[in-house]
């Protein structure tokens, strides 16, 4: 995500004129926008990137917006979803909210109202994602990490140098202690999408952490891989 961006939005809308209008207005507001024109493309984008908000039309070709939202939630992704729909009945609104939408706006809508709702959802998401930051050093078990010096004292007392990416990943996991951090968020926060590491790349980092810090790397106490979801640090 760009340094001065207010947030990243996945815009899922198949009506081309409306899509371009919304994209232009979101970008004018300072958001970085990724476009998808059908449900399958939306799900591929969500699997590849981390977004601060999804603006999701319900009536889409192929996989509809309701199914997209449901699939995202089944995969334990808590990205905020704002549904857009021509369906204004209470039952439709309830169905959308039940399937994972955080907000629901019926067409035609007032652009200023949409932008206000987008601003609130992105802001709320950023506040939830901003965990209490840790200091320059962190200790757990017999281990100690110095984030500023980019080194660590391992469980055996050995001093090891850590790469910038290792430090960034350690800090991200520790700041989200006891919570699963999605692979997509790691991509955004650590790699910034300048490089597209595979799941194996992140797994190799986790294996290194276990080698440095775990008593038994086969039965880790601190660094865990949650298959198909992400990674977690625990200190209990």
């Amino acid at each position: 995500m760009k340094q001065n961006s207010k947030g990243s939005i996945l815009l899922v809308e198949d009506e081309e004129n409306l899509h371009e209008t919304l994209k232009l207005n979101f970008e004018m507001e300072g958001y970085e926008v990724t476009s998808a024109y059908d449900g399958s493309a939306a799900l591929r984008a969500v699997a590849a990137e981390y977004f601060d908000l999804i603006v999701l039309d319900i009536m889409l070709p192929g996989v509809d917006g309701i199914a997209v939202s449901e699939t995202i939630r089944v995969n334990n992704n808590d990205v905020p979803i704002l549904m857009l729909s021509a369906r204004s009945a209470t039952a439709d609104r309830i169905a959308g909210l039940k399937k994972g939408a955080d907000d629901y706006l019926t067409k035609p809508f007032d652009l200023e109202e949409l932008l206000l709702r987008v601003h609130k959802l992105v802001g709320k998401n950023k506040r939830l994602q901003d965990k209490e930051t840790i200091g320059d050093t962190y200790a757990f078990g017999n281990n100690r990490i110095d984030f500023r010096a980019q080194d660590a004292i391992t469980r055996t007392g050995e001093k090891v140098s850590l790469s910038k990416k290792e430090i960034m990943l350690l800090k991200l996991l520790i700041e989200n202690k006891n919570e699963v951090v999605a692979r997509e968020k790691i991509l955004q926060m650590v790699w910034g999408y300048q490089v597209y590491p595979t799941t194996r790349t992140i797994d190799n980092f986790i294996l290194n952490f276990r080698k440095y810090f775990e008593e038994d790397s086969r039965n880790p106490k601190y660094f865990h891989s949650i298959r198909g979801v992400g990674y977690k640090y625990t200190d209990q």
Side-chain angles (χ1 to χ4, degrees):
M1 193 166 66
K2 294 175 184 175
Q3 193 72 28
N4 58 352
S5 172
K6 288 171 67 174
S8 57
I9 296 175
L10 174 62
L11 174 58
V12 192
E13 168 61 62
D14 66 316
E15 203 286 292
E16 199 163 331
N17 288 335
L18 177 57
H19 189 116
E20 291 308 310
T21 299
L22 293 177
K23 184 174 187 290
L24 176 63
N25 278 274
F26 291 156
E27 289 176 341
M28 288 174 63
E29 290 290 313
Y31 299 107
E32 191 172 340
V33 181
T34 297
S35 292
Y37 294 88
D38 60 61
S40 296
L43 290 173
R44 287 195 298 273
V46 170
E49 297 186 36
Y50 173 85
F51 296 101
D52 292 300
L53 174 66
I54 299 175
V55 177
L56 177 63
D57 184 30
I58 288 183
M59 299 295 288
L60 294 169
V63 182
D64 68 17
I66 296 290
V68 169
S69 179
E70 189 172 26
T71 301
I72 289 170
R73 296 301 184 234
V74 165
N75 289 329
N76 294 314
N77 190 328
D78 58 0
V79 57
I81 297 173
L82 169 57
M83 279 189 180
L84 303 177
S85 177
R87 300 172 178 173
S88 58
T90 301
D92 293 318
R93 179 183 175 87
I94 290 172
L97 295 171
K98 277 186 173 180
K99 294 300 182 181
D102 297 270
D103 202 352
Y104 189 104
L105 191 58
T106 56
K107 300 177 182 178
F109 49 79
D110 181 82
L111 181 60
E112 189 175 351
E113 180 183 359
L114 172 64
L115 292 175
L116 180 61
R117 292 185 185 217
V118 165
H119 176 74
K120 287 190 172 183
L121 284 170
V122 170
K124 181 179 179 182
N125 184 56
K126 284 185 172 295
R127 287 192 297 275
L128 289 174
Q129 297 298 336
D130 288 340
K131 302 294 180 181
E132 182 180 349
T133 57
I134 52 180
D136 291 336
T137 62
Y138 182 82
F140 59 102
N142 293 322
N143 306 291
R144 184 176 182 275
I145 301 168
D146 189 323
F147 296 104
R148 186 181 292 273
Q150 287 189 204
D151 59 34
I153 304 298
T154 71
R155 58 183 176 77
T156 61
E158 179 186 2
K159 186 174 184 178
V160 295
S161 295
L162 300 170
S163 70
K164 184 177 179 181
K165 290 285 191 293
E166 285 179 315
I167 284 291
M168 291 171 72
L169 180 53
L170 280 168
K171 195 163 191 178
L172 179 62
L173 292 173
I174 291 169
E175 286 180 345
N176 290 272
K177 182 168 66 173
N178 299 323
E179 295 182 17
V180 178
V181 182
R183 176 177 177 271
E184 293 75 26
K185 183 171 182 178
I186 291 173
L187 289 176
Q188 184 200 34
M189 302 298 288
V190 178
W191 275 268
Y193 296 116
Q194 296 169 355
V195 182
Y196 286 79
T198 64
T199 300
R200 174 59 60 189
T201 303
I202 305 175
D203 282 342
N204 286 337
F205 274 62
I206 299 296
L207 289 174
N208 283 339
F209 296 164
R210 290 174 181 168
K211 182 176 69 175
Y212 297 150
F213 305 124
E214 301 280 6
E215 290 287 342
D216 181 356
S217 60
R218 291 173 180 265
N219 295 289
K221 176 181 178 183
Y222 303 113
F223 296 96
H224 310 274
S225 299
I226 312 301
R227 185 179 295 275
V229 182
Y231 305 85
K232 180 170 67 169
Y233 165 77
T234 59
D235 184 7
Q236 297 177 347

